[in-house]
Amino acid sequence: GIAVSALCAIAVALIFSRTQWRVVAPFLFAAVLVLLASRFGAMVSVVGSLLASLIFAELLFPPLHSLRVENGTERATLAWMILLSVSASYLLFPSRTDGHDL
């Protein structure tokens, strides 16, 4: 699940990097993370959102190939992506247990 989210983040970053809709990409990706959480569990959303924010900082937002994001709005968008995907994943798909303690 984590590998799928990382590959999807790379694809989204490459697709949106040449458009004026760069700021929308993390919000769309938050929906992808919630969908992945429905299949693989909420932890995929946590790790996937952190990896995606690193990937988006590197490949999507200027300066490219740097973890630094100059624009405050773009930095806030990455933070909102993490918050939305993690909270929605835990609210919609709580951790799966079979009722037995380890």
Side-chain angles (χ1 to χ4, degrees):
I2 294 170
V4 171
S5 67
L7 290 173
C8 288
I10 292 169
V12 167
L14 293 175
I15 290 169
F16 281 89
S17 66
R18 294 183 176 89
T19 69
Q20 62 183 357
W21 298 97
R22 283 192 313 251
V23 177
V24 177
F27 291 114
L28 295 174
F29 194 72
V32 171
L33 287 170
V34 172
L35 288 173
L36 288 172
S38 71
R39 172 68 176 105
F40 298 106
M43 188 54 75
V44 168
S45 181
V46 173
V47 177
S49 64
L50 294 175
L51 280 175
S53 51
L54 292 173
I55 291 168
F56 289 159
E58 283 279 330
L59 301 176
L60 187 61
F61 298 125
L64 296 179
H65 310 296
S66 169
L67 290 178
R68 184 171 168 255
V69 178
E70 287 180 354
N71 188 315
T73 302
E74 293 167 346
R75 276 194 308 269
T77 301
L78 292 176
W80 278 108
M81 176 192 66
I82 294 170
L83 180 67
L84 288 172
S85 63
V86 171
S87 59
S89 295
Y90 275 104
L91 285 172
L92 297 173
F93 310 105
S95 60
R96 300 175 192 163
T97 59
D98 58 359
H100 296 87
D101 292 332
L102 295 177

